[in-house]
Amino acid sequence: MVDPRGTGRTRRLPAARTCVLAAGAALALVALGGDPAAAEVEAYTVHINEVVRRLTRVGQSIAVSFAVLFTVVAGLRWILAGGEPGEIDKSKRAFAGAGMGYLVAFSGEVILLALDYVNGYDA
């Protein structure tokens, strides 16, 4: 592929470089007597499991952060309501939103543990 800036130089494609590295790794595994397909699949499986685990942790952190924020806002709203039923109702809805945030965070952990059990992955 020619460089679009007109320098006459060619650019190397990252995909080609990745393919060459993967082929080299496969040849090295064959030379060492290993099964390249099994090792590659296991490496990708472990990598995907770690990516899913980290994404779940980030999602849980965000959900818990919002849940804590809703809890604080709901508590302040209730304190500052002064007995007004409309404001107390808004604070109750904010508490319900916080509860949903905690539920999302907890259910994410349960789902992740269930998938780890089904997959047989030990972290």
Side-chain angles (χ1 to χ4, degrees):
M1 175 178 264
V2 177
D3 189 11
R5 292 177 280 184
T7 60
R9 297 165 67 188
T10 58
R11 284 190 293 164
R12 294 186 182 165
L13 298 174
R17 190 176 323 150
T18 304
C19 289
V20 170
L21 287 174
L27 287 175
L29 282 173
V30 169
L32 295 174
D35 183 16
E40 188 174 323
V41 167
E42 186 175 337
Y44 282 127
T45 302
V46 171
H47 179 69
I48 289 171
N49 286 341
E50 279 302 313
V51 169
V52 169
R53 179 176 298 285
R54 289 181 182 180
L55 286 174
T56 305
R57 297 286 187 238
V58 168
Q60 287 173 333
S61 300
I62 291 170
V64 169
S65 298
F66 277 115
V68 168
L69 178 68
F70 272 96
T71 302
V72 170
V73 168
L76 288 174
R77 221 177 222 178
W78 196 308
I79 290 170
L80 298 175
E84 186 177 331
E87 287 297 318
I88 292 175
D89 187 47
K90 287 181 184 178
S91 67
K92 286 181 182 178
R93 282 186 281 161
F95 275 124
M100 291 299 288
Y102 290 122
L103 183 67
V104 165
F106 179 71
S107 65
E109 184 67 25
V110 170
I111 290 171
L112 191 62
L113 287 173
L115 288 176
D116 283 347
Y117 177 75
V118 168
N119 192 23
Y121 177 70
D122 293 326

